[in-house]
Amino acid sequence: MKITPVILCGGSGTRLWPLSRKSYPKQFVPLVGNQTLFQSSVLRMTGGALDFAGPLVLTNSDFRFIVTEQLASIGIDPGAVLIEPEGRNTGPAVLAAALYLAKSAPEAVMLVAPSDHLIPDKAAFQAAVEAGLKAVQEGQLVTFGIAPTHPETAYGYLELSAVPDSVSQPVTLSRFVEKPDAARAAEMLAAGNFMWNAGIFLFRASDIVAAFQACAPALLEPVSKAVDGAEPDLGFLRLASDPWSRAENVSIDYAVMEKATNLSVVPFAGAWSDLGGWDAVWRETGPDETGTVTTGEAIAIDCENSLLRSDSTALELVGIGLKNVIAIAMNDAVLVADMSRAQDVKQAVSALKAKAAPQATHFPIDHRPWGWFESLVIGDRFQVKRIHVHPGASLSLQSHFHRSEHWIVVEGTAKVTVDDKVTLVSENQSIYVPLGSVHRMENPGKVPMVLIEVQTGVYLGEDDIVRYEDVYARGQGEKG
C-alpha cells in the first residue's frame, strides 16, 4: 500500500525566537543535529519497509524555494508543492491535499505530519504507521498519541478508550482534551489512558473528504474551488486565492477530529518533541553532567542547567556561573531568559513588534530562490550587503528608482548586465550600476559566487525593484 506523506510547512513559530522568525521559521533551521526539522520530517517518511510516494508539501509563497532547495540537498523530489495564498490553519490545508490526491487516486493513503517535530527513531515511527494501516483500510481516521513522560501543560491530550498495551496497536479514541492545568495533567499521566496529541494523522483521501463533508461542510466549497482553480507556477501549484480566502481559519482538530466518530489512536512510545521552546531544545540536545548545553561559538564556565547557543561565527558567547538560564545569540539579537520562562519568549516578539523592530519577524539572512543576502551595515543613505548566488542561478532583470549600486566580487565570477553591456566580473573586480539602469547579476560558474554590494540613495527598501524578466516568475515586489 503506497503512502503519500503530506508535510504541512507554512507555519511560523515565535517561541524559538531569535532563531525562528516569521521570515525563516524553525522548520528550516538545524536546531538539533545537522539536518533541518523539515528535512528530518521528510526523511522519516522515506525508505524502510513501507512504500512511500514522493512527499506532497503545503507551504506559502515566501517559503516555496526554501522547500525545494532543502529537499534537493537531501536528494528528495517532491510529489507536488501546493502554495497556500494565505495561512488558513491545518483544516483547509489537509482538505486541499486530500482533494488534490483524490482527483487521481481517491483511495490514496495520506500520512499528514507537521514539518517541525523531532522524532529521532525513524524505524519506530514507521512501525507505528504500519500498525495504523489496518484501521485505515477499515475506513478509520487514525491519529497518533505520544506516551507522556511528564505532566505537560503545553500539549493537548487524547483520551483512549482503554490503557494501551506495549504494542503500538490502534485503540478507539474517546475524546480530545484541551491543554490542562498542572493538577489535571498529573491526574491524566497517572490514569495511563491519556496521550499527548501529536497532530499526525493517517487516512485515505476519500475518507477524510467524507469526514469534512459530514463535520465541516462549509469548507468544501471554497477549498474545492481553490484546488480546481489552482495554476501551475514553475514547479509549484498555486491554489486559487479568492476562494481560498473564504475558507474558515480552523484546525483539522476543531473542524473534523473532535466531531468524527470513526477515530482510532496508535500509541507511540518513542521519543518525540515539537520543540516548542528553548527548554525543549536544551532537553533534546543532550545536556552534559552539569545539565549544560553549548552550541556554536559558546563557552560555559561553572554553569548549571543552562543552554548557551551562538549562531554567529563572529560572536563568542561566554556564560559564567549561570543557573537555569537560556542565552541565544545571533548577529542582530540576543535572548537571555530564565529556563522556567521558556514559554514566554513570544512576549519578547510582541514587544519588539510594538516598537517596530525588524528583529521581531525578519531573519538577518534573507533567503531567495537564487541564494541569500545579509545586511552588514545600514546607514541613513547607504547599505552594505553580502550576497551569495548559487551556481547557475540568476537574479531578475531589474531597475531601481531610488538607489545606485556598486558590486565587488570576492568569490567566483559574476556575469553582469548593465543596460546593453554584459561583463564578466572576477574576484577583486568591481562594477557600478547607476540609478535607473536596467541590470542583472548571474553566476555562470559551478561554485557559489559571493559579492559585496554597496547601495547609496534616498530609499533602500527591498520593494524598490522593478522586474522586467525573472526565471523564478516572481511578481513585482514579491520576494520569494
Side-chain angles (χ1 to χ4, degrees):
M1 183 184 301
K2 188 173 287 292
I3 301 170
T4 299
V6 176
I7 312 296
L8 306 180
C9 199
S12 56
T14 58
R15 289 180 293 177
L16 290 178
W17 184 89
L19 193 63
S20 175
R21 309 187 197 184
K22 182 179 179 181
S23 68
Y24 201 73
K26 68 175 183 176
Q27 60 261 34
F28 300 122
V29 178
L31 277 165
V32 178
N34 297 322
Q35 293 172 340
T36 68
L37 295 176
F38 169 62
Q39 290 172 322
S40 296
S41 296
V42 172
L43 290 172
R44 191 179 308 130
M45 289 174 270
T46 60
L50 300 177
D51 185 11
F52 289 105
L56 170 63
V57 181
L58 287 101
T59 188
N60 60 45
S61 185
D62 285 350
F63 300 157
R64 67 192 189 277
F65 291 107
I66 300 173
V67 163
T68 53
E69 181 180 326
Q70 292 203 354
L71 288 176
S73 69
I74 57 173
I76 300 293
D77 290 325
V81 179
L82 305 187
I83 307 300
E84 299 175 80
E86 58 182 293
R88 307 305 291 166
N89 214 317
T90 56
V94 173
L95 177 56
L99 291 169
Y100 173 82
L101 289 172
K103 285 186 174 184
S104 57
E107 300 306 297
V109 176
M110 305 167 56
L111 176 57
V112 180
S115 60
D116 57 358
H117 289 185
L118 181 69
I119 304 177
D121 193 337
K122 173 179 175 178
F125 174 76
Q126 291 195 5
V129 172
E130 186 174 15
L133 288 176
K134 185 176 184 298
V136 168
Q137 290 175 319
E138 296 171 352
Q140 292 285 297
L141 309 179
V142 174
T143 185
F144 293 83
I146 308 300
T149 57
H150 57 279
E152 179 61 63
T153 60
Y155 303 148
Y157 284 70
L158 306 171
E159 182 179 359
L160 280 57
S161 60
V163 176
D165 58 27
S166 58
V167 181
S168 295
Q169 294 300 322
V171 179
T172 302
L173 175 68
S174 293
R175 65 185 178 103
F176 286 79
V177 180
E178 295 293 329
K179 296 176 183 178
D181 58 25
R184 180 59 179 146
E187 291 174 0
M188 290 191 290
L189 178 65
N193 65 320
F194 290 85
M195 311 202 84
W196 293 334
N197 183 3
I200 302 173
F201 306 99
L202 185 71
F203 35 61
R204 288 185 300 215
S206 58
D207 290 332
I208 191 64
V209 170
F212 274 98
Q213 289 172 332
C215 302
L219 282 177
L220 261 296
E221 186 265 341
V223 176
S224 296
K225 288 186 175 179
V227 174
D228 291 340
E231 296 183 353
D233 177 3
L234 298 179
F236 311 102
L237 190 66
R238 286 184 177 272
L239 300 175
S241 60
D242 183 57
W244 186 258
S245 68
R246 299 197 302 271
E248 182 184 1
N249 187 330
V250 62
S251 72
I252 187 173
D253 282 353
Y254 283 114
V256 172
M257 296 300 171
E258 295 186 5
K259 304 171 186 175
T261 57
N262 57 331
L263 267 69
S264 294
V265 180
V266 173
F268 179 69
W272 170 88
S273 175
D274 70 344
L275 292 181
W278 283 114
D279 53 342
V281 175
W282 165 78
R283 193 162 48 243
E284 297 300 329
T285 305
D288 64 15
E289 64 277 3
T290 69
T292 301
V293 171
T294 57
T295 303
E297 308 305 316
I299 298 173
I301 301 173
D302 296 331
C303 295
E304 298 178 20
N305 300 325
S306 295
L307 170 64
L308 283 74
R309 177 175 181 136
S310 173
D311 277 78
S312 169
T313 56
L315 197 156
E316 292 285 349
L317 175 63
V318 181
I320 301 176
L322 302 179
K323 292 184 179 180
N324 305 315
V325 167
I326 299 165
I328 312 297
M330 299 189 68
N331 283 341
D332 64 337
V334 176
L335 168 71
V336 181
D338 188 275
M339 186 74 74
S340 66
R341 302 292 299 276
Q343 295 300 312
D344 295 330
V345 170
K346 57 187 177 183
Q347 295 181 20
V349 178
S350 297
L352 289 167
K353 285 181 178 178
K355 62 178 291 188
Q359 290 91 334
T361 56
H362 289 82
F363 205 68
I365 292 179
D366 200 326
H367 291 262
R368 300 296 171 101
W370 44 260
W372 53 265
F373 70 83
E374 63 176 328
S375 296
L376 304 176
V377 181
I378 302 177
D380 290 338
R381 292 176 57 91
F382 75 93
Q383 181 171 201
V384 181
K385 290 181 177 179
R386 175 170 60 167
I387 300 178
H388 174 111
V389 183
H390 298 318
S394 169
L395 281 68
S396 60
L397 186 68
Q398 60 185 251
S399 65
H400 310 294
F401 287 116
H402 303 292
R403 71 176 185 255
S404 60
E405 297 171 341
H406 196 145
W407 296 340
I408 306 97
V409 176
V410 294
E411 291 182 25
T413 298
K415 180 182 177 182
V416 177
T417 300
V418 180
D419 294 324
D420 296 328
K421 186 177 181 180
V422 179
T423 308
L424 287 177
V425 185
S426 300
E427 291 182 12
N428 298 320
Q429 294 181 332
S430 63
I431 194 167
Y432 177 65
V433 182
L435 184 150
S437 290
V438 177
H439 59 281
R440 189 203 307 267
M441 179 198 313
E442 304 172 62
N443 180 1
K446 297 183 178 180
V447 297
M449 185 267 288
V450 180
L451 59 81
I452 302 299
E453 177 183 80
V454 180
Q455 302 176 352
T456 57
V458 295
Y459 178 71
L460 306 173
E462 288 302 316
D463 55 349
D464 180 22
I465 295 178
V466 179
R467 290 193 176 99
Y468 304 98
E469 296 176 8
D470 184 31
V471 297
Y472 305 106
R474 293 167 292 177
Q476 300 296 338
E478 187 177 347
K479 77 169 228 179

PDB file of all heavy atoms in Angstrom, residues 106-129:
ATOM      1  N   PRO A 106      -8.603   8.341  -5.336  1.00  0.00           N
ATOM      2  CA  PRO A 106      -9.435   8.553  -4.143  1.00  0.00           C
ATOM      3  C   PRO A 106      -9.043   7.677  -2.961  1.00  0.00           C
ATOM      4  O   PRO A 106      -9.246   8.071  -1.811  1.00  0.00           O
ATOM      5  CB  PRO A 106     -10.845   8.214  -4.639  1.00  0.00           C
ATOM      6  CG  PRO A 106     -10.783   8.376  -6.123  1.00  0.00           C
ATOM      7  CD  PRO A 106      -9.397   7.992  -6.521  1.00  0.00           C
ATOM      8  N   GLU A 107      -8.494   6.494  -3.230  1.00  0.00           N
ATOM      9  CA  GLU A 107      -8.114   5.590  -2.148  1.00  0.00           C
ATOM     10  C   GLU A 107      -6.681   5.813  -1.673  1.00  0.00           C
ATOM     11  O   GLU A 107      -6.140   5.019  -0.897  1.00  0.00           O
ATOM     12  CB  GLU A 107      -8.291   4.137  -2.601  1.00  0.00           C
ATOM     13  CG  GLU A 107      -9.729   3.788  -2.998  1.00  0.00           C
ATOM     14  CD  GLU A 107     -10.718   4.136  -1.898  1.00  0.00           C
ATOM     15  OE1 GLU A 107     -10.615   3.550  -0.807  1.00  0.00           O
ATOM     16  OE2 GLU A 107     -11.586   5.006  -2.128  1.00  0.00           O
ATOM     17  N   ALA A 108      -6.052   6.896  -2.147  1.00  0.00           N
ATOM     18  CA  ALA A 108      -4.682   7.202  -1.721  1.00  0.00           C
ATOM     19  C   ALA A 108      -4.630   7.353  -0.207  1.00  0.00           C
ATOM     20  O   ALA A 108      -5.504   7.974   0.408  1.00  0.00           O
ATOM     21  CB  ALA A 108      -4.200   8.484  -2.395  1.00  0.00           C
ATOM     22  N   VAL A 109      -3.605   6.783   0.408  1.00  0.00           N
ATOM     23  CA  VAL A 109      -3.417   6.880   1.852  1.00  0.00           C
ATOM     24  C   VAL A 109      -2.511   8.070   2.150  1.00  0.00           C
ATOM     25  O   VAL A 109      -1.416   8.192   1.597  1.00  0.00           O
ATOM     26  CB  VAL A 109      -2.803   5.586   2.417  1.00  0.00           C
ATOM     27  CG1 VAL A 109      -2.515   5.733   3.907  1.00  0.00           C
ATOM     28  CG2 VAL A 109      -3.754   4.414   2.176  1.00  0.00           C
ATOM     29  N   MET A 110      -2.968   8.949   3.010  1.00  0.00           N
ATOM     30  CA  MET A 110      -2.242  10.162   3.370  1.00  0.00           C
ATOM     31  C   MET A 110      -1.667  10.033   4.776  1.00  0.00           C
ATOM     32  O   MET A 110      -2.376   9.676   5.713  1.00  0.00           O
ATOM     33  CB  MET A 110      -3.174  11.382   3.325  1.00  0.00           C
ATOM     34  CG  MET A 110      -3.891  11.590   2.014  1.00  0.00           C
ATOM     35  SD  MET A 110      -5.247  12.799   2.153  1.00  0.00           S
ATOM     36  CE  MET A 110      -4.401  14.246   2.814  1.00  0.00           C
ATOM     37  N   LEU A 111      -0.397  10.360   4.914  1.00  0.00           N
ATOM     38  CA  LEU A 111       0.240  10.463   6.227  1.00  0.00           C
ATOM     39  C   LEU A 111       0.560  11.933   6.441  1.00  0.00           C
ATOM     40  O   LEU A 111       1.499  12.478   5.864  1.00  0.00           O
ATOM     41  CB  LEU A 111       1.509   9.609   6.282  1.00  0.00           C
ATOM     42  CG  LEU A 111       2.341   9.692   7.571  1.00  0.00           C
ATOM     43  CD1 LEU A 111       1.505   9.329   8.796  1.00  0.00           C
ATOM     44  CD2 LEU A 111       3.568   8.778   7.476  1.00  0.00           C
ATOM     45  N   VAL A 112      -0.270  12.606   7.237  1.00  0.00           N
ATOM     46  CA  VAL A 112      -0.172  14.052   7.428  1.00  0.00           C
ATOM     47  C   VAL A 112       0.690  14.338   8.652  1.00  0.00           C
ATOM     48  O   VAL A 112       0.435  13.801   9.735  1.00  0.00           O
ATOM     49  CB  VAL A 112      -1.570  14.669   7.606  1.00  0.00           C
ATOM     50  CG1 VAL A 112      -1.466  16.178   7.816  1.00  0.00           C
ATOM     51  CG2 VAL A 112      -2.451  14.348   6.404  1.00  0.00           C
ATOM     52  N   ALA A 113       1.699  15.192   8.471  1.00  0.00           N
ATOM     53  CA  ALA A 113       2.605  15.467   9.579  1.00  0.00           C
ATOM     54  C   ALA A 113       3.089  16.909   9.532  1.00  0.00           C
ATOM     55  O   ALA A 113       3.289  17.463   8.451  1.00  0.00           O
ATOM     56  CB  ALA A 113       3.808  14.520   9.524  1.00  0.00           C
ATOM     57  N   PRO A 114       3.287  17.526  10.706  1.00  0.00           N
ATOM     58  CA  PRO A 114       3.929  18.837  10.744  1.00  0.00           C
ATOM     59  C   PRO A 114       5.383  18.716  10.284  1.00  0.00           C
ATOM     60  O   PRO A 114       5.983  17.634  10.335  1.00  0.00           O
ATOM     61  CB  PRO A 114       3.851  19.239  12.222  1.00  0.00           C
ATOM     62  CG  PRO A 114       2.854  18.312  12.836  1.00  0.00           C
ATOM     63  CD  PRO A 114       2.926  17.047  12.052  1.00  0.00           C
ATOM     64  N   SER A 115       5.954  19.833   9.888  1.00  0.00           N
ATOM     65  CA  SER A 115       7.341  19.823   9.396  1.00  0.00           C
ATOM     66  C   SER A 115       8.343  20.180  10.474  1.00  0.00           C
ATOM     67  O   SER A 115       9.544  20.243  10.195  1.00  0.00           O
ATOM     68  CB  SER A 115       7.477  20.820   8.242  1.00  0.00           C
ATOM     69  OG  SER A 115       7.138  22.132   8.674  1.00  0.00           O
ATOM     70  N   ASP A 116       7.898  20.397  11.710  1.00  0.00           N
ATOM     71  CA  ASP A 116       8.804  20.937  12.730  1.00  0.00           C
ATOM     72  C   ASP A 116       8.866  20.094  14.004  1.00  0.00           C
ATOM     73  O   ASP A 116       9.200  20.597  15.070  1.00  0.00           O
ATOM     74  CB  ASP A 116       8.418  22.371  13.082  1.00  0.00           C
ATOM     75  CG  ASP A 116       6.973  22.491  13.570  1.00  0.00           C
ATOM     76  OD1 ASP A 116       6.257  21.464  13.597  1.00  0.00           O
ATOM     77  OD2 ASP A 116       6.572  23.610  13.928  1.00  0.00           O
ATOM     78  N   HIS A 117       8.539  18.797  13.882  1.00  0.00           N
ATOM     79  CA  HIS A 117       8.627  17.918  15.053  1.00  0.00           C
ATOM     80  C   HIS A 117       9.904  17.088  14.997  1.00  0.00           C
ATOM     81  O   HIS A 117      10.425  16.798  13.927  1.00  0.00           O
ATOM     82  CB  HIS A 117       7.416  16.990  15.137  1.00  0.00           C
ATOM     83  CG  HIS A 117       6.152  17.694  15.521  1.00  0.00           C
ATOM     84  ND1 HIS A 117       4.971  17.019  15.760  1.00  0.00           N
ATOM     85  CD2 HIS A 117       5.881  19.014  15.704  1.00  0.00           C
ATOM     86  CE1 HIS A 117       4.028  17.909  16.079  1.00  0.00           C
ATOM     87  NE2 HIS A 117       4.559  19.108  16.043  1.00  0.00           N
ATOM     88  N   LEU A 118      10.366  16.693  16.165  1.00  0.00           N
ATOM     89  CA  LEU A 118      11.570  15.874  16.279  1.00  0.00           C
ATOM     90  C   LEU A 118      11.175  14.468  16.714  1.00  0.00           C
ATOM     91  O   LEU A 118      10.603  14.276  17.790  1.00  0.00           O
ATOM     92  CB  LEU A 118      12.535  16.490  17.299  1.00  0.00           C
ATOM     93  CG  LEU A 118      13.856  15.755  17.510  1.00  0.00           C
ATOM     94  CD1 LEU A 118      14.738  15.863  16.264  1.00  0.00           C
ATOM     95  CD2 LEU A 118      14.604  16.319  18.718  1.00  0.00           C
ATOM     96  N   ILE A 119      11.454  13.478  15.858  1.00  0.00           N
ATOM     97  CA  ILE A 119      11.206  12.063  16.172  1.00  0.00           C
ATOM     98  C   ILE A 119      12.470  11.312  15.768  1.00  0.00           C
ATOM     99  O   ILE A 119      12.635  10.950  14.596  1.00  0.00           O
ATOM    100  CB  ILE A 119       9.975  11.514  15.427  1.00  0.00           C
ATOM    101  CG1 ILE A 119       8.731  12.364  15.743  1.00  0.00           C
ATOM    102  CG2 ILE A 119       9.729  10.054  15.800  1.00  0.00           C
ATOM    103  CD1 ILE A 119       7.491  11.932  14.987  1.00  0.00           C
ATOM    104  N   PRO A 120      13.396  11.071  16.676  1.00  0.00           N
ATOM    105  CA  PRO A 120      14.698  10.508  16.306  1.00  0.00           C
ATOM    106  C   PRO A 120      14.650   9.081  15.765  1.00  0.00           C
ATOM    107  O   PRO A 120      15.463   8.712  14.918  1.00  0.00           O
ATOM    108  CB  PRO A 120      15.502  10.567  17.616  1.00  0.00           C
ATOM    109  CG  PRO A 120      14.767  11.538  18.495  1.00  0.00           C
ATOM    110  CD  PRO A 120      13.330  11.423  18.107  1.00  0.00           C
ATOM    111  N   ASP A 121      13.721   8.255  16.252  1.00  0.00           N
ATOM    112  CA  ASP A 121      13.697   6.837  15.891  1.00  0.00           C
ATOM    113  C   ASP A 121      12.800   6.626  14.669  1.00  0.00           C
ATOM    114  O   ASP A 121      11.588   6.424  14.792  1.00  0.00           O
ATOM    115  CB  ASP A 121      13.213   5.994  17.071  1.00  0.00           C
ATOM    116  CG  ASP A 121      13.461   4.498  16.873  1.00  0.00           C
ATOM    117  OD1 ASP A 121      13.596   4.073  15.706  1.00  0.00           O
ATOM    118  OD2 ASP A 121      13.506   3.776  17.880  1.00  0.00           O
ATOM    119  N   LYS A 122      13.386   6.659  13.487  1.00  0.00           N
ATOM    120  CA  LYS A 122      12.636   6.505  12.242  1.00  0.00           C
ATOM    121  C   LYS A 122      11.960   5.142  12.167  1.00  0.00           C
ATOM    122  O   LYS A 122      10.792   5.042  11.768  1.00  0.00           O
ATOM    123  CB  LYS A 122      13.586   6.708  11.059  1.00  0.00           C
ATOM    124  CG  LYS A 122      12.995   6.423   9.689  1.00  0.00           C
ATOM    125  CD  LYS A 122      14.033   6.684   8.596  1.00  0.00           C
ATOM    126  CE  LYS A 122      13.528   6.306   7.220  1.00  0.00           C
ATOM    127  NZ  LYS A 122      14.523   6.617   6.155  1.00  0.00           N
ATOM    128  N   ALA A 123      12.658   4.089  12.550  1.00  0.00           N
ATOM    129  CA  ALA A 123      12.097   2.742  12.458  1.00  0.00           C
ATOM    130  C   ALA A 123      10.876   2.592  13.358  1.00  0.00           C
ATOM    131  O   ALA A 123       9.861   1.995  12.963  1.00  0.00           O
ATOM    132  CB  ALA A 123      13.159   1.708  12.821  1.00  0.00           C
ATOM    133  N   ALA A 124      10.950   3.127  14.576  1.00  0.00           N
ATOM    134  CA  ALA A 124       9.811   3.040  15.495  1.00  0.00           C
ATOM    135  C   ALA A 124       8.624   3.831  14.957  1.00  0.00           C
ATOM    136  O   ALA A 124       7.469   3.402  15.065  1.00  0.00           O
ATOM    137  CB  ALA A 124      10.214   3.548  16.873  1.00  0.00           C
ATOM    138  N   PHE A 125       8.901   4.982  14.360  1.00  0.00           N
ATOM    139  CA  PHE A 125       7.820   5.784  13.790  1.00  0.00           C
ATOM    140  C   PHE A 125       7.140   5.034  12.645  1.00  0.00           C
ATOM    141  O   PHE A 125       5.911   4.978  12.571  1.00  0.00           O
ATOM    142  CB  PHE A 125       8.363   7.124  13.303  1.00  0.00           C
ATOM    143  CG  PHE A 125       7.355   7.956  12.564  1.00  0.00           C
ATOM    144  CD1 PHE A 125       6.364   8.627  13.254  1.00  0.00           C
ATOM    145  CD2 PHE A 125       7.391   8.050  11.178  1.00  0.00           C
ATOM    146  CE1 PHE A 125       5.411   9.394  12.576  1.00  0.00           C
ATOM    147  CE2 PHE A 125       6.448   8.807  10.495  1.00  0.00           C
ATOM    148  CZ  PHE A 125       5.451   9.477  11.193  1.00  0.00           C
ATOM    149  N   GLN A 126       7.937   4.456  11.761  1.00  0.00           N
ATOM    150  CA  GLN A 126       7.354   3.730  10.637  1.00  0.00           C
ATOM    151  C   GLN A 126       6.590   2.494  11.114  1.00  0.00           C
ATOM    152  O   GLN A 126       5.574   2.120  10.515  1.00  0.00           O
ATOM    153  CB  GLN A 126       8.439   3.352   9.633  1.00  0.00           C
ATOM    154  CG  GLN A 126       9.015   4.544   8.887  1.00  0.00           C
ATOM    155  CD  GLN A 126       9.805   4.137   7.655  1.00  0.00           C
ATOM    156  OE1 GLN A 126       9.862   2.969   7.285  1.00  0.00           O
ATOM    157  NE2 GLN A 126      10.429   5.097   7.013  1.00  0.00           N
ATOM    158  N   ALA A 127       7.053   1.875  12.193  1.00  0.00           N
ATOM    159  CA  ALA A 127       6.320   0.727  12.744  1.00  0.00           C
ATOM    160  C   ALA A 127       4.947   1.162  13.259  1.00  0.00           C
ATOM    161  O   ALA A 127       3.945   0.443  13.095  1.00  0.00           O
ATOM    162  CB  ALA A 127       7.127   0.082  13.867  1.00  0.00           C
ATOM    163  N   ALA A 128       4.877   2.339  13.859  1.00  0.00           N
ATOM    164  CA  ALA A 128       3.590   2.855  14.326  1.00  0.00           C
ATOM    165  C   ALA A 128       2.674   3.150  13.147  1.00  0.00           C
ATOM    166  O   ALA A 128       1.466   2.885  13.192  1.00  0.00           O
ATOM    167  CB  ALA A 128       3.816   4.107  15.173  1.00  0.00           C
ATOM    168  N   VAL A 129       3.251   3.699  12.068  1.00  0.00           N
ATOM    169  CA  VAL A 129       2.459   3.960  10.863  1.00  0.00           C
ATOM    170  C   VAL A 129       1.915   2.646  10.300  1.00  0.00           C
ATOM    171  O   VAL A 129       0.736   2.536   9.944  1.00  0.00           O
ATOM    172  CB  VAL A 129       3.298   4.700   9.807  1.00  0.00           C
ATOM    173  CG1 VAL A 129       2.537   4.804   8.487  1.00  0.00           C
ATOM    174  CG2 VAL A 129       3.698   6.086  10.312  1.00  0.00           C
TER     175      VAL A 129
END
